[in-house]
Structure formats: C-alpha cells, structure tokens
Amino acid sequence: MCAAEAAMGGSASVLPREALDEYQRAASCHRAALVLASSRAYKRFSELLPKEERENACSTRVPKSRILTLPELRANPFQHRICHVFSTSDDGDDSMSFEDFLDMLSAFSDSATSDIKSHYAFRIFDFDDDGALDRKDLEKLVNCLTGQGEESRLSSTEMEQLIQNILEESDIDKDGTINISEFQHVVSRSPDFARYSVRS
C-alpha cells in the first residue's frame, strides 16, 4: 500500500474520470500560466543586461545597480534589502541570477500566498539577518517607512513609544524580539498585508 492510500484510510481512492479530466485541464492551464510568467520574467531579466550578454542570460548575473533600475524597486524604501534577501551571490554583491530574479518576482506577485509574502517580508525587515526583529531592526524599519528627512523623522521619544507598542502587540513570548512565527501571527490578522507587503 502506498503512502497516499495509507493516508486515505487504507483503501485506494480513484478519481472519477470527469474529475481527473478537470484536474488535468486545470494543471495544464497552471503550467501554461507558469511558462508564460517565466518567459515574461526572462525577457525582463535579459533586458537588464548589455545586448552582447543577453544570449547567455541564464548563466549571467545581473549587478544590483541594474536590478535597482526596475520601476518596482526604484522608489521602494527596502530596495537594498530586497536585493540582499533574494540574491544568492557568493560574493556578497547582491547580484542576481535569473532564478533569484524569478524568486523575487514570484514572492511579490499577486498569486503569492500570504505565508510566502510574510516569510520574505520578515527576512527583508531583519536588517542584521539574525532571525529576529529586535529594537534596532524595528527602528530601521520605521525609518524606512517614514522617510529619512528631518521633517518626517520621529523624535527618540516617539520612536521608543512606537517600538514599545509594536513589541506589546507582536512579541508573544515577551523576549524583546519578534520571531518569524510571531510576525506571521500578526500578519494573519492583517488581511491587507498580502496586498501591500513591502511593495513601493
């Protein structure tokens, strides 16, 4: 008996022919949509390269400076963190391969689940990459959201109060930081999060 049969109570379950046909149609449509999305992403990725390098786009890394020219990132306050999180560069230069680029577009697409969006948002907001949002991360997060200008910067008292409010709302285990499960718990109570996430 296979694992699937065991999971269903020990007897083999057979999909009715109509259901199987419908599933295959849906799967084909999904595959077609993925192929179309991937080809569009590939076109966008290759256009970030000099013309002479476009033929080998699959094996070429695009520098961070070129990734930051994308309209979606140009005005995003988290643009540098986004590049850092999605880059798999061993050199630490935040350059992107096509796979990195596709992961980034997928995570920010309307079809990405709230879990995927919240996972990447947490990593983007975790400025020191230590797996938790502490007071320094939260301060940087607030500064990114409010802008760096004098007129928009919070006073130290306002910042402290805001961080305290965030921790009181989110820090379930009261350890002074927000871990990924606490962050996702807060996000699950915010239906607009998936729509806005860390977009510009």
Side-chain angles (χ1 to χ4, degrees):
M1 183 189 318
C2 74
E5 290 172 353
M8 290 191 238
S11 62
S13 296
V14 179
L15 280 173
R17 183 81 217 152
E18 307 80 43
L20 185 57
D21 289 345
E22 183 60 32
Y23 173 77
Q24 287 175 330
R25 271 196 301 277
S28 294
C29 288
H30 182 65
R31 278 196 297 272
L34 284 175
V35 168
L36 183 61
S38 294
S39 63
R40 285 183 183 151
Y42 186 77
K43 183 175 186 294
R44 290 192 73 193
F45 181 78
S46 63
E47 286 171 351
L48 293 170
L49 292 165
K51 286 184 181 175
E52 63 275 9
E53 293 180 27
R54 290 180 186 175
E55 277 186 29
N56 301 317
C58 267
S59 57
T60 305
R61 300 191 72 84
V62 171
K64 176 182 174 180
S65 60
R66 296 295 302 150
I67 298 291
L68 292 177
T69 65
L70 291 167
E72 299 90 336
L73 291 181
R74 207 174 296 139
N76 191 307
F78 301 100
Q79 56 180 220
H80 296 286
R81 284 295 302 161
I82 290 169
C83 288
H84 178 74
V85 164
F86 285 96
S87 172
T88 57
S89 171
D90 292 331
D91 299 331
D93 61 4
D94 296 342
S95 62
M96 287 194 190
S97 66
F98 175 62
E99 287 78 15
D100 298 339
F101 185 75
L102 196 55
D103 285 346
M104 178 182 71
L105 293 185
S106 297
F108 294 131
S109 75
D110 291 336
S111 59
T113 65
S114 179
D115 280 351
I116 289 171
K117 288 181 183 291
S118 62
H119 167 81
Y120 282 108
F122 180 85
R123 289 188 59 202
I124 290 164
F125 299 158
D126 181 15
F127 289 89
D128 56 10
D129 297 315
D130 68 351
L133 305 184
D134 59 19
R135 287 178 174 272
K136 286 183 179 176
D137 291 320
L138 294 174
E139 184 172 341
K140 287 183 180 179
L141 171 58
V142 170
N143 283 333
C144 280
L145 292 172
T146 58
Q148 301 297 320
E150 281 296 321
E151 67 285 348
S152 60
R153 189 173 295 141
L154 299 181
S155 70
S156 56
T157 304
E158 291 169 327
M159 179 68 78
E160 180 57 35
Q161 185 58 59
L162 181 56
I163 289 172
Q164 193 56 43
N165 292 347
I166 292 169
L167 288 171
E168 283 174 12
E169 177 73 22
S170 311
D171 181 17
I172 297 167
D173 62 10
K174 304 300 179 198
D175 69 348
T177 66
I178 301 167
N179 61 38
I180 182 68
S181 60
E182 291 168 334
F183 182 78
Q184 289 182 322
H185 175 72
V186 170
V187 167
S188 70
R189 300 185 337 225
S190 308
D192 287 338
F193 177 83
R195 204 162 15 137
Y196 297 111
S197 191
V198 291
R199 288 174 163 184
S200 56

